[in-house]
Amino acid sequence: KKIVSAMTPFVQDHAMTLYLMRPNIAYLNKVNQAIQDIFPSNFDPETAIGIPIRATDRIQCAEGPGPCGLSFDQYMTIAKRASELAAQEKGQSGFLHNNIVLTSESSSFIEARHDYIKNNTITGQAVPFSFIVNEKDISQGSGHPHAFKVIADDVMLSTFISLKMQLMTESSVGNCCSAFHKLMAEFLSNGCGEVARNHFECLQQNENPMFRSCCRWGSSYKKECDGLRIVYSGTNTIYVHPKPEVRRSTNT
């Protein structure tokens, strides 16, 4: 088995995939126009954290067997903590970010931000973030082509828009069970984002064991996640320390 880290997936495969699937001029113009429409004119990437949420995630908690997908509120807890740690790293207090770039194939996750804001307002809790979303996303609900109920070309356009949105942030938190999220991490860690140095944290390396996910793929997917071994597939395995020594995964 090949031992890799959560931040060093298959660079050549990702580069080849993106090259082969690069948009033509017409679609590239659509992507750029969408980004221009989605982000405010005064947007500062240094104040944004990216939260991509995969619709088909089935997360197995480190503290026990069985699926336990994270809720929207839990993702917001993760975002707040990441933003606090980012501020502390710069010698500041509070949150470093005031924007969350939120993407997902699931419309329910995108719409959940409204309930989150409403519930916090009712209870008198401040919402420290503004949400940046693609209001015109087709939200196909799955990463599996056979499950699409929309035009495949529209799915690809939506995917490229989401990818470019997630390259516009200072920090990111993703599920490194996802090939798409690993693709984001690879480009960000190699300086392809809007900031000079993005900090990408895999959920598998979160300081809270309850937020660490196991990848339930391949021949070993039934083995219980103990916070040490995360199974990507039958042939590729990563190892993650249960108590990461750094606040976020970095690649310098």
Side-chain angles (χ1 to χ4, degrees):
K1 291 185 177 181
K2 181 178 179 181
I3 306 301
V4 299
S5 78
M7 289 302 297
T8 55
F10 312 116
V11 183
Q12 296 87 348
D13 290 351
H14 284 159
M16 184 180 298
T17 298
L18 197 66
Y19 178 77
L20 291 173
M21 300 177 68
R22 68 196 186 280
N24 58 32
I25 296 299
Y27 266 72
L28 181 61
N29 289 337
K30 290 182 179 181
V31 171
N32 291 335
Q33 183 60 55
I35 295 298
Q36 183 176 335
D37 294 340
I38 292 168
F39 287 85
S41 58
N42 62 346
F43 173 74
D44 180 2
E46 295 285 353
T47 67
I49 181 170
I51 305 292
I53 303 176
R54 192 178 60 165
T56 53
D57 278 342
R58 292 295 181 270
I59 298 172
Q60 183 175 7
C61 290
E63 293 299 310
C68 54
L70 298 178
S71 68
F72 188 84
D73 282 4
Q74 287 174 314
Y75 274 107
M76 293 303 99
T77 297
I78 292 169
K80 285 181 179 180
R81 181 57 178 160
S83 190
E84 285 177 340
L85 292 172
Q88 291 173 17
E89 190 177 76
K90 295 179 180 294
Q92 302 175 19
S93 60
F95 301 109
L96 180 66
H97 312 98
N98 53 35
N99 290 296
I100 286 182
V101 176
L102 179 66
T103 59
S104 177
E105 308 100 309
S106 170
S107 59
S108 61
F109 266 119
I110 299 299
E111 294 303 315
R113 74 190 192 279
H114 296 305
D115 288 336
Y116 177 77
I117 294 172
K118 179 180 178 180
N119 292 338
N120 277 268
T121 301
I122 291 174
T123 58
Q125 300 180 54
V127 178
F129 306 111
S130 295
F131 292 95
I132 296 177
V133 302
N134 179 10
E135 297 283 4
K136 298 180 181 179
D137 198 300
I138 61 172
S139 302
Q140 72 272 16
S142 172
H144 302 292
H146 64 80
F148 294 165
K149 296 181 180 180
V150 291
I151 300 173
D153 283 355
D154 291 341
V155 175
M156 289 305 303
L157 177 60
S158 175
T159 300
F160 273 99
I161 292 171
S162 293
L163 175 60
K164 190 160 185 178
M165 288 175 66
Q166 291 298 339
L167 298 182
M168 303 283 287
T169 63
E170 186 275 343
S171 294
S172 306
V173 180
N175 185 346
C176 289
C177 296
S178 165
F180 189 44
H181 291 192
K182 288 190 289 182
L183 177 64
M184 294 176 188
E186 193 60 54
F187 283 110
L188 288 166
S189 66
N190 283 282
C192 297
E194 284 295 306
V195 301
R197 185 168 178 264
N198 170 277
H199 300 271
F200 194 103
E201 178 189 296
C202 295
L203 286 174
Q204 289 74 19
Q205 294 175 315
N206 193 273
E207 63 182 4
N208 186 338
M210 293 302 296
F211 295 152
R212 298 177 201 154
S213 60
C214 280
C215 309
R216 306 186 66 180
W217 299 345
S219 59
S220 302
Y221 78 95
K222 292 183 179 179
K223 292 186 178 181
E224 182 178 352
C225 172
D226 58 7
L228 289 172
R229 182 168 65 187
I230 313 299
V231 179
Y232 276 1
S233 70
T235 57
N236 299 288
T237 304
I238 67 166
Y239 290 83
V240 178
H241 193 279
K243 294 182 179 179
E245 296 179 359
V246 295
R247 70 166 181 92
R248 294 173 289 178
S249 302
T250 58
N251 191 344
T252 55

